[in-house]
């Protein structure tokens, strides 16, 4: 009973209210699947993500930390069980001027500390919660890796789209340059007109290398994420417009408490800190230990295991700290300080999660509207350029108008594909903000720190 009272350590008030819903959330709850990345409908992206989950070295390192935490949990929990070891020795001694003396001894030594105050049990619980925390930390790494792969793949597609737009614009610029030169030869255009169009062609051509650089660097980034050398990875890619845009709604804010691995990580750290406070408080009470030894001892080896050579002893010891230079008090204060830190870290992780979801929802809605409006700009710009190019062939429009419509179309198309990338990235960010996927009912929904 006393042990139970000690383990129920007081924790600072969380002081955190959960909102009933997201301000930017719309629609019914539609939780993502566990393999939510398949919603983009790209077999190549799915293959890259699955390879990253298997081969990424950061994930491998996180698994190593889980192994270390599990081993430490065994070490810390060892005092809860009795210890038993075997000892045997043979001694031959000849003192100066005396006869030879010998002694043979075999014995089993046993020891056990009565965890009457729950100190060892609390320490073991703290280590177990730390091991749980490393598992959620690994899930944080996995989610971050998956999102990084998605981001890098989107950058590959964005670079390919921008390269395609730039090359199409270069082709159109050369086509207009041919018309201008024809008009110059016919005496209906000046050398200035030719130079202006040649300058535009050179400008468009100069815009291509940065897109090629983005493409190749994004592929190199993908290679590192999936655990390959950049020279060994080939990405087919395609276009951002070949990707589907998954529909996902955020659900209830309270669901993030068991959905996001970083919140579960903070929760496990807080539970570990609670147990550490209990262990530090219990250290002020007496430590009660039982020890025992039994075996055989005799001066003659052949008589060692005879009944008359048997011996045993049992002892009980009690140790009560009296003066330790405030060491135990300092350890308790330190444990309480960590507990306070993890309370605030837990609250902060929840607020950050709410903010991430709101930001992603706002970005999805605004970028979808922006893409719709920018598509109108592209359509009208393309129509204007087509009319200008036709009239240039007919000789009924000046070159300045053609140049303006061409540059407007190129800029509009380039902005449109960037907005498309931002919209896809916002969806990816929402998946990350929600913790990647919603767990099936009953999975991971254990006792919660907020309760």
């Amino acid at each position: 009973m006393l042990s139970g009272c000690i383990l129920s350590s007081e924790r600072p008030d969380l002081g955190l209210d959960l909102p009933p819903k997201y301000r930017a959330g719309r629609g019914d709850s539609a939780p993502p699947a566990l393999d939510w990345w398949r919603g983009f409908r790209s077999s190549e992206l799915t293959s890259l993500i699955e390879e990253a989950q298997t081969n990424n070295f950061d994930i491998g390192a996180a698994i190593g930390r889980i192994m270390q935490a599990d081993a430490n949990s065994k070490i810390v929990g060892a005092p809860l069980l009795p210890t038993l070891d075997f000892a045997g020795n043979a001694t031959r001694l000849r003192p100066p001027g005396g006869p030879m003396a010998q002694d043979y001894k075999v014995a089993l030594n046993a020891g056990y500390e009565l965890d009457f105050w729950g100190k060892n049990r609390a320490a073991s619980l703290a280590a177990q919660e730390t091991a749980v925390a490393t598992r959620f930390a690994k899930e944080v790494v996995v989610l971050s890796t998956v999102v990084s792969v998605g981001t890098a793949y989107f950058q590959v597609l964005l670079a390919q789209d921008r390269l395609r737009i730039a090359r199409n614009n270069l082709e159109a610029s050369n086509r207009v340059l041919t018309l201008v030169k024809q008009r110059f030869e016919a005496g209906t255009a000046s050398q200035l007109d030719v130079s202006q169009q040649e300058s535009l062609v050179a400008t468009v051509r100069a815009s291509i290398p940065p897109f090629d650089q983005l493409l190749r660097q994004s592929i190199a980034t993908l290679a590192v994420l999936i655990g390959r050398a950049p020279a060994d990875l080939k990405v087919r890619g395609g276009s951002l417009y070949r990707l589907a845009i998954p529909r996902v709604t955020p659900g209830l804010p309270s669901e993030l408490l068991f959905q996001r691995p970083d919140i579960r990580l903070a929760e496990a750290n807080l539970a570990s800190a609670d147990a550490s406070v209990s262990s530090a408080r219990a250290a002020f009470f007496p430590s009660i230990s039982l020890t025992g030894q039994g075996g055989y001892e005799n001066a003659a080896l052949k008589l060692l295991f005879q009944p008359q050579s048997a011996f045993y002893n049992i002892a009980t010891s009690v140790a009560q700290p009296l003066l330790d230079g405030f060491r135990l008090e300092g350890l308790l204060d330190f444990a309480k300080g960590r507990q306070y830190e993890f309370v605030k870290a837990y609250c902060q992780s929840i607020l950050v999660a709410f903010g991430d979801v709101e930001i992603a929802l706002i970005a999805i809605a605004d970028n979808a509207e922006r893409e719709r409006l920018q598509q109108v700009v592209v359509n009208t710009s393309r129509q204007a350029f087509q009319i200008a190019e036709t009239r240039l062939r007919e000789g009924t429009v000046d070159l300045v108008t053609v140049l303006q419509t061409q540059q407007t179309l190129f800029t509009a198309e380039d902005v449109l594909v960037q907005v498309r990338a931002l919209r896809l990235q916002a969806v990816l960010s929402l998946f990350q903000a929600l913790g990647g996927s919603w767990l099936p009912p009953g999975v991971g929904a254990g006792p919660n720190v907020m309760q």
Side-chain angles (χ1 to χ4, degrees):
M1 293 174 59
L2 289 174
S3 173
C5 293
I6 292 172
L7 285 174
S8 59
S9 62
E10 295 182 0
R11 179 197 298 151
D13 184 24
L14 295 179
L16 184 65
D17 295 326
L18 299 182
K21 62 179 181 179
Y22 298 105
R23 177 175 295 180
R26 296 288 186 274
D28 298 329
S29 179
L34 293 177
D35 52 351
W36 51 267
W37 49 87
R38 293 182 181 272
F40 292 103
R41 304 291 178 86
S42 170
S43 59
E44 187 174 42
L45 175 60
T46 298
S47 176
L48 289 169
I49 288 177
E50 291 176 349
E51 187 172 353
Q53 290 178 315
T54 303
N55 299 333
N56 181 269
F57 290 107
D58 287 333
I59 296 177
I63 294 173
R65 289 189 287 271
I66 292 176
M67 297 167 62
Q68 295 173 52
D70 287 346
N72 184 65
S73 179
K74 293 179 181 179
I75 295 170
V76 176
L80 290 172
L81 301 175
T83 60
L84 181 66
D85 60 76
F86 170 81
N89 62 70
T91 304
R92 300 187 69 182
L93 176 64
R94 184 174 185 176
M100 177 74 70
Q102 55 188 12
D103 183 70
Y104 299 95
K105 180 179 180 181
V106 293
L108 291 176
N109 301 310
Y112 180 63
E113 180 181 356
L114 297 177
D115 196 28
F116 193 71
W117 314 105
K119 178 185 68 175
N120 295 334
R121 182 156 60 93
S124 177
L125 179 60
Q128 292 174 27
E129 291 293 345
T130 298
V132 172
T134 59
R135 283 162 169 78
F136 289 117
K138 178 246 183 184
E139 293 304 318
V140 171
V141 175
V142 171
L143 179 58
S144 176
T145 300
V146 169
V147 172
S148 297
V149 171
T151 298
Y153 188 71
F154 291 166
Q155 289 297 307
V156 169
L157 299 185
L158 174 62
Q160 290 178 328
D161 281 335
R162 298 185 75 182
L163 271 172
R164 192 176 300 111
I165 292 171
R167 286 166 178 162
N168 290 340
N169 188 50
L170 179 61
E171 181 182 350
S173 300
N174 282 320
R175 192 167 59 243
V176 172
L177 177 59
T178 300
L179 294 176
V180 173
K181 287 182 177 179
Q182 291 174 353
R183 292 186 61 183
F184 174 73
E185 293 173 357
T188 58
S190 65
Q191 181 61 47
L192 177 59
D193 295 333
V194 175
S195 298
Q196 285 179 322
Q197 185 61 23
E198 287 177 339
S199 175
L200 178 60
V201 170
T203 300
V204 175
R205 186 178 290 111
S207 70
I208 292 178
F211 300 149
D212 181 68
Q213 176 183 347
L214 174 61
L215 173 61
R216 292 190 291 168
Q217 288 179 341
S218 298
I219 293 175
T221 300
L222 270 176
V224 173
L225 289 170
I226 65 175
R228 286 204 225 172
D232 297 335
L233 179 64
K234 293 182 180 180
V235 179
R236 183 178 66 256
S239 173
L240 290 172
Y241 293 95
R242 294 181 182 177
L243 297 180
I245 298 181
R247 179 184 177 273
V248 55
T249 51
L252 299 176
S254 59
E255 292 170 327
L256 283 185
L257 299 185
F258 65 87
Q259 203 166 281
R260 275 186 54 137
D262 58 335
I263 294 180
R264 298 302 299 273
L265 168 62
E267 177 185 352
N269 283 333
L270 178 53
S272 176
D274 290 342
S276 295
V277 171
S278 299
S279 180
R281 183 179 288 113
F284 284 89
F285 293 86
S287 174
I288 305 173
S289 300
L290 300 176
T291 58
Q293 185 183 55
Y296 297 89
E297 183 175 13
N298 200 297
L301 180 60
K302 65 180 180 179
L303 300 176
L304 179 61
F305 294 103
Q306 298 298 319
Q308 63 269 23
S309 300
F311 76 94
Y312 74 90
N313 61 70
I314 300 176
T316 302
S317 63
V318 179
Q320 169 63 56
L322 296 177
L323 296 174
D324 64 351
F326 302 103
R327 184 182 68 86
L328 291 178
E329 184 177 346
L331 290 173
L332 178 59
D333 291 341
F334 179 80
K336 288 182 176 179
R338 288 185 74 250
Q339 182 188 46
Y340 184 83
E341 174 192 355
F342 286 126
V343 165
K344 300 307 178 183
Y346 177 65
C347 295
Q348 179 67 11
S349 66
I350 294 174
L351 289 179
V352 168
F354 293 160
D356 289 345
V357 174
E358 292 283 4
I359 291 171
L361 289 170
I362 293 170
I364 289 174
D366 288 352
N367 283 313
E369 177 65 11
R370 185 182 175 190
E371 184 181 11
R372 185 185 68 82
L373 297 175
Q374 188 64 30
Q375 185 64 61
V376 175
V377 175
V378 170
N379 293 340
T380 55
S381 299
R382 181 178 292 114
Q383 183 179 11
F385 175 66
Q386 290 173 348
I387 295 173
E389 187 177 7
T390 300
R391 292 186 176 177
L392 180 64
R393 294 178 185 276
E394 298 171 351
T396 59
V397 69
D398 61 284
L399 182 60
V400 174
T401 302
V402 177
L403 294 178
Q404 289 176 342
T405 56
Q406 182 183 359
Q407 290 176 318
T408 300
L409 174 60
F410 171 67
T411 302
E413 289 179 331
D414 193 57
V415 170
L416 177 62
V417 72
Q418 292 182 66
V419 173
R420 178 74 173 187
L422 290 174
R423 184 181 177 186
L424 288 166
Q425 188 64 47
V427 174
L428 193 64
S429 297
L430 180 57
F431 278 122
Q432 183 178 22
L434 292 175
S437 60
W438 287 15
L439 300 177
V443 179
N448 197 280
V449 173
M450 290 293 292
Q451 296 177 353

